[in-house]
Amino acid sequence: PTLPVALRALNYEREKKKFLRTRENPIFHYQTLSPKKYNEGQKILKNLEQDLRSETNEALKKLYSAKVNEFKIQLELRRAIGKNQDEFARASRSLYGKPTSTDFKVALLEFNEEKELKKIAKKERKKERKYGAEIIKKAFIRAMEVVGIKEFEAVIEPQAKWITINTKHKEGYRVEIPPKRQTTIYKLEELIAHEIVIHLGRGRNGQLSKLSLLGFMGTDHYGATEEGMATFAEQRVALRRGRIPKKAGIKATLAMGAALEGRNFNQTFEFLKNLRFSDFDTWKYTYRVFRGIGDTSKSKGKITTLDWNYRHGNLAILDLVSCEGEARLDNLYVGKIGIHHLKTMKELGITTPKIPRKYLAIEELLPELFK
């Protein structure tokens, strides 16, 4: 299974209901990686390393070697899901990094500042109508048509907890939408910029490039740049609409920071609740940092740091744009690469995306909602 699926607890609904009723720390069960599958994975990676020894292009050799090393760590992480907390946490930090205590404190300050700005913005605008999964699906389909991505279909997936890009489904490439997902019309525009323009656009550009690795597999450690570009796109859309752009990954950083200080699931939940997270967000962000952990009563800072990609990546993209201009992002739109791959892409002559990077106006995608 894909990593998001592997990290999805099999008894999620039952443990959620039990926790909200009793506040008893959840014990999650997962689809585990068998010793046979682990050994098969190890063998495949060793064979890839053997093959790379004969590669004469040093740039390609470096690129693929780094990806093989990343796969090794991913394999260790998958083996540890729901079993070995120490091994799982080590692999997670190696793959995604983690917020420092300073990152935690800065996020807390910015969260409180953002709350005040939201209060002002709320007074200035009327209550906006929310649209459900069917409208999101229709908008995604039309956005994919405009961007020129014909290989994906948007579906409402009963098992989806979040909007997910699934390239491993037996029926083909899918963008999966949770049936209960709701959003306002202009938040939907930000969602399209995030999911369709960046996630799908970069993946499709990678497929169309001369290097298949840049497709949905992606180069090593591309995730932070990916989420950084996606959240930056949201921020640009918000600014264009005269809205206050949200700081990327603050809530996730607060959840990770609280858990990294040693709080278990319930204590992290209470910490976020005391910050006045909504009931939905309190559960969501607590669960996300404890994905992959079996017994959540004894955290000791052993969590998944996957969500650090959002804030860390967004800050890196903001810094890049500040130093080199927004047009520089076109060089990152050639596929699923990281900022640290820009030099290698130049060496390989992959600097211009086949599908141009552009933002889509919601009025053009769903004109019927504006009549």
Side-chain angles (χ1 to χ4, degrees):
T2 62
L3 186 57
V5 172
L7 288 173
R8 187 184 299 161
L10 298 173
N11 57 342
Y12 173 87
E13 292 294 347
R14 189 184 72 195
E15 289 300 297
K16 178 181 179 181
K17 288 176 183 176
K18 185 177 77 172
F19 174 80
L20 294 177
R21 186 179 70 251
T22 66
R23 288 297 189 272
E24 183 180 334
N25 286 297
I27 297 178
F28 293 122
H29 301 146
Y30 300 91
Q31 183 178 344
T32 56
L33 188 68
S34 69
K36 182 182 176 182
K37 288 288 185 185
Y38 175 79
N39 290 331
E40 286 175 358
Q42 289 275 48
K43 186 176 180 181
I44 290 169
L45 294 177
K46 283 180 181 177
N47 289 337
L48 285 172
E49 285 181 321
Q50 290 279 359
D51 291 342
L52 282 170
R53 289 179 184 176
S54 59
E55 176 58 61
T56 56
N57 185 312
E58 287 301 319
L60 279 178
K61 190 172 185 177
K62 181 180 176 182
L63 202 62
Y64 277 92
S65 293
K67 188 63 181 182
V68 170
N69 286 333
E70 184 183 51
F71 276 142
K72 285 181 179 179
I73 302 168
Q74 285 181 358
L75 198 58
E76 298 303 324
L77 182 139
R78 284 172 176 266
R79 182 172 69 164
I81 290 174
K83 296 177 181 177
N84 188 321
Q85 236 167 289
D86 290 332
E87 187 179 311
F88 178 84
R90 276 196 301 271
S92 178
R93 292 177 189 185
S94 180
L95 289 168
Y96 314 116
K98 70 180 181 72
T100 64
S101 58
T102 300
D103 293 321
F104 181 41
K105 290 172 185 174
V106 170
L108 189 56
L109 286 171
E110 292 189 356
F111 175 73
N112 289 325
E113 289 172 1
E114 196 167 68
K115 274 201 302 188
E116 294 305 313
L117 289 172
K118 282 181 178 178
K119 285 180 186 176
I120 297 169
K122 193 172 182 180
K123 290 177 183 177
E124 292 177 347
R125 70 173 187 264
K126 297 176 182 178
K127 188 173 179 62
E128 297 177 25
R129 178 180 173 182
K130 287 192 174 181
Y131 295 87
E134 287 292 346
I135 291 294
I136 296 172
K137 176 183 171 182
K138 184 184 289 187
F140 278 11
I141 290 170
R142 291 183 180 174
M144 287 188 283
E145 289 172 356
V146 172
V147 173
I149 299 173
K150 302 173 182 176
E151 297 71 24
F152 277 80
E153 96 177 286
V155 298
I156 297 172
E157 171 52 57
Q159 300 303 315
K161 304 301 176 192
W162 297 281
I163 292 174
T164 305
I165 292 172
N166 188 347
T167 59
K168 304 291 185 183
H169 198 274
K170 61 183 179 180
E171 293 179 12
Y173 292 171
R174 296 155 43 116
V175 183
E176 297 173 346
I177 304 161
K180 295 182 180 179
R181 180 65 188 261
Q182 291 187 320
T183 187
T184 64
I185 194 67
Y186 293 117
K187 285 292 181 183
L188 177 54
E189 190 175 50
E190 293 176 26
L191 197 57
I192 289 165
H194 185 119
E195 301 290 350
I196 307 302
V197 174
I198 300 301
H199 287 327
L200 283 193
R202 289 223 311 163
R204 185 58 185 146
N205 268 323
Q207 288 181 323
L208 295 171
S209 77
K210 60 183 179 182
L211 196 59
S212 60
L213 178 64
L214 308 190
F216 289 94
M217 180 180 292
T219 55
D220 70 286
H221 297 87
Y222 78 88
T225 299
E226 178 87 357
E227 297 303 349
M229 286 186 70
T231 50
F232 178 84
E234 285 186 47
Q235 291 164 336
R236 275 292 179 263
V237 169
L239 280 171
R240 199 172 73 238
R241 291 290 180 182
R243 301 163 71 89
I244 299 170
K246 66 179 181 180
K247 302 271 189 178
I250 286 184
K251 291 180 179 178
T253 302
L254 291 175
M256 284 183 285
L260 284 167
E261 287 187 337
R263 293 176 178 85
N264 62 25
F265 192 102
N266 184 42
Q267 291 164 342
T268 302
F269 184 91
E270 288 300 321
F271 179 88
L272 300 183
K273 189 177 178 183
N274 289 336
L275 288 179
R276 303 195 178 218
F277 275 37
S278 68
D279 291 343
F280 176 84
D281 280 350
T282 304
W283 167 265
K284 171 185 171 181
Y285 286 104
T286 304
Y287 172 69
R288 284 182 72 89
V289 299
F290 283 90
R291 286 175 298 171
I293 303 300
D295 184 352
T296 66
S297 66
K298 303 168 185 177
S299 165
K300 297 182 181 178
K302 308 295 170 54
I303 58 167
T304 177
T305 54
L306 174 59
D307 282 350
W308 179 232
N309 275 340
Y310 291 93
R311 184 157 173 83
H312 173 60
N314 184 254
L315 292 174
I317 290 295
L318 288 170
D319 184 57
L320 181 69
V321 169
S322 175
C323 294
E324 302 186 36
E326 189 171 343
R328 183 65 158 139
L329 298 185
D330 291 338
N331 299 134
L332 289 171
Y333 201 59
V334 296
K336 289 188 179 286
I337 64 172
I339 291 173
H340 59 293
H341 297 115
L342 283 171
K343 183 180 177 182
T344 304
M345 291 302 108
K346 188 175 181 181
E347 290 174 18
L348 295 171
I350 304 174
T351 57
T352 305
K354 301 288 185 183
I355 300 171
R357 180 178 60 93
K358 61 181 177 180
Y359 301 130
L360 306 175
I362 195 68
E363 295 94 337
E364 295 175 10
L365 298 175
L366 296 174
E368 62 270 26
L369 298 184
F370 293 86
K371 291 178 180 177

